[in-house]
């Protein structure tokens, strides 16, 4: 490997550098575990999920303690789609056979070893997120979030309009994305939806609370209301939001649509 030697003894009583220990583990986990699992774009198939525990345990306990193997199996079970099972270097990180500092190590691509592809025998850097544990193969899941449509994590992901915000509070607008981290495990990222600020829960609460409608003439009002002086209405304010600028304004109730007071009837003599 390309890293300095740190003695690491395995149960086979052979000592090797940390890079070599990681190399052996990645090759073993790929050839005997990861490469044998069926999967799709989201993770393991249901059949592979059901078979994983017994298969992983039979391989793992030949090399490491049963307690450690059981702990790692539980971590895999908890990962989204059990995708960790498809990342051999990620499995080895969980087994404490590889560390994030081993990303500077170079190891033989186990997928090429399994395929007897001697023409591609060049060592490659460790990658905790890929299908064979090296930079030579495909990332399982994703390492970075690609925003599609109105997806966002902040207003910076929305349009350049000042009126757009990232809503991360309304049901139906929030989702969870998973990114493969430096250790090969998935970290959860909460995403929201870009909406007009006038449609945000905070602003809607203000505008809906303001039930009065400002007016300049009776034509602005719906029957049976009329445009009347509202200056005498206690605590009255007209709250409005401009969908173009995203500006929220509050004005006094000079003229508002109101039901006119009943005209007193004159009683006959």
């Amino acid at each position: 490997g390309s890293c300095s030697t740190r003695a690491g003894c395995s149960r086979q009583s052979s000592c090797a550098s940390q890079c070599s220990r990681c190399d052996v583990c990645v090759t073993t986990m790929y050839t005997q575990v990861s490469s044998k699992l069926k999967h799709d774009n989201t993770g393991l198939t249901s059949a592979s999920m059901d078979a994983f525990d017994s298969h992983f345990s039979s391989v793992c306990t030949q090399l490491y303690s049963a307690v450690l193997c059981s702990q790692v199996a539980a971590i895999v079970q908890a990962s989204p789609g059990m995708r960790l099972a498809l990342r051999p270097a990620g499995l080895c990180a969980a087994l404490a056979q590889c560390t994030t500092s081993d990303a500077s190590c170079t190891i033989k691509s186990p997928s090429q070893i399994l395929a007897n592809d001697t023409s591609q025998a060049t060592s490659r850097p460790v990658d905790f997120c890929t299908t064979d544990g090296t930079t030579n193969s495909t990332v399982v899941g994703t390492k970075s979030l690609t925003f599609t449509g109105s997806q966002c994590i902040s207003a910076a992901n929305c349009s350049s309009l000042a009126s757009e915000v990232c809503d991360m509070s309304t049901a139906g607008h929030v989702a969870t994305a998973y990114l493969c981290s430096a250790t090969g495990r998935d970290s959860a990222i909460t995403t929201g939806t870009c909406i007009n600020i006038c449609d945000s829960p905070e602003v809607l609460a203000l505008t809906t609370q303001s039930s009065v409608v400002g007016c300049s003439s009776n034509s602005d009002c719906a029957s049976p209301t009329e445009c009347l002086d509202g200056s005498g209405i206690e605590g009255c304010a007209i709250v409005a939001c401009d969908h173009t600028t995203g500006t929220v304004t509050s004005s006094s109730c000079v003229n508002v649509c109101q039901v006119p007071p009943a005209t007193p009837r004159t009683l006959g003599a």
Side-chain angles (χ1 to χ4, degrees):
S2 62
C3 60
S4 59
T5 57
R6 287 184 296 170
C9 299
S10 68
R11 283 174 56 176
Q12 288 92 345
S13 299
S14 60
C15 292
S17 71
Q18 174 62 28
C19 286
S20 296
R21 182 169 70 173
C22 181
D23 192 345
V24 169
C25 179
V26 172
T27 298
T28 300
M29 288 299 120
Y30 176 80
T31 57
Q32 297 188 40
V33 179
S34 299
S35 64
K36 297 182 181 300
L37 298 170
K38 303 294 184 182
H39 60 92
D40 55 27
N41 292 334
T42 60
L44 298 188
T45 61
S46 56
S48 285
M49 285 183 179
D50 294 338
F52 171 79
D53 270 353
S54 59
H55 179 64
F56 173 74
S57 178
S58 66
V59 174
C60 185
T61 52
Q62 294 180 51
L63 303 168
Y64 314 111
S65 75
V67 172
L68 176 60
C69 293
S70 178
Q71 291 172 340
V72 173
I75 293 171
V76 172
Q77 291 279 5
S79 66
M82 293 178 63
R83 285 195 291 264
L84 181 57
L86 300 170
R87 300 168 180 153
L91 285 174
C92 291
L95 288 165
Q97 299 303 299
C98 298
T99 67
T100 52
S101 61
D102 295 330
S104 61
C105 295
T106 54
I107 63 176
K108 291 287 192 288
S109 169
S111 59
Q112 293 165 351
I113 293 173
L114 191 64
N116 293 317
D117 186 359
T118 56
S119 65
Q120 299 292 330
T122 305
S123 294
R124 299 177 187 276
V126 174
D127 191 313
F128 293 90
C129 296
T130 62
T131 54
D132 80 349
T134 73
T135 57
N136 184 60
S137 58
T138 305
V139 172
V140 178
T142 182
K143 290 183 178 181
S144 59
L145 189 59
T146 301
F147 296 102
T148 57
S150 57
Q151 187 182 36
C152 59
I153 57 174
S154 72
N157 308 126
C158 301
S159 73
S160 58
L161 298 176
S163 58
E164 289 228 326
V165 293
C166 184
D167 180 20
M168 302 182 75
S169 62
T170 307
H173 282 185
V174 182
T176 302
Y178 295 94
L179 306 183
C180 185
S181 68
T183 61
R185 301 190 197 184
D186 286 296
S187 57
I189 304 293
T190 300
T191 65
T193 302
C194 293
I195 62 171
N196 191 285
I197 193 171
C198 296
D199 298 322
S200 66
E202 298 82 3
V203 175
L204 284 175
L206 292 174
T207 55
T208 54
Q209 284 174 6
S210 175
S211 58
V212 294
V213 177
C215 59
S216 58
S217 68
N218 286 342
S219 61
D220 297 325
C221 302
S223 180
T225 62
E226 298 177 4
C227 190
L228 303 171
D229 178 18
S231 57
I233 303 175
E234 185 178 355
C236 182
I238 301 171
V239 180
C241 184
D242 188 317
H243 278 71
T244 301
T245 64
T247 304
V248 179
T249 57
S250 177
S251 58
S252 59
C253 298
V254 177
N255 292 311
V256 295
C257 294
Q258 306 174 60
V259 176
T263 304
R265 291 186 300 170
T266 302
L267 295 177

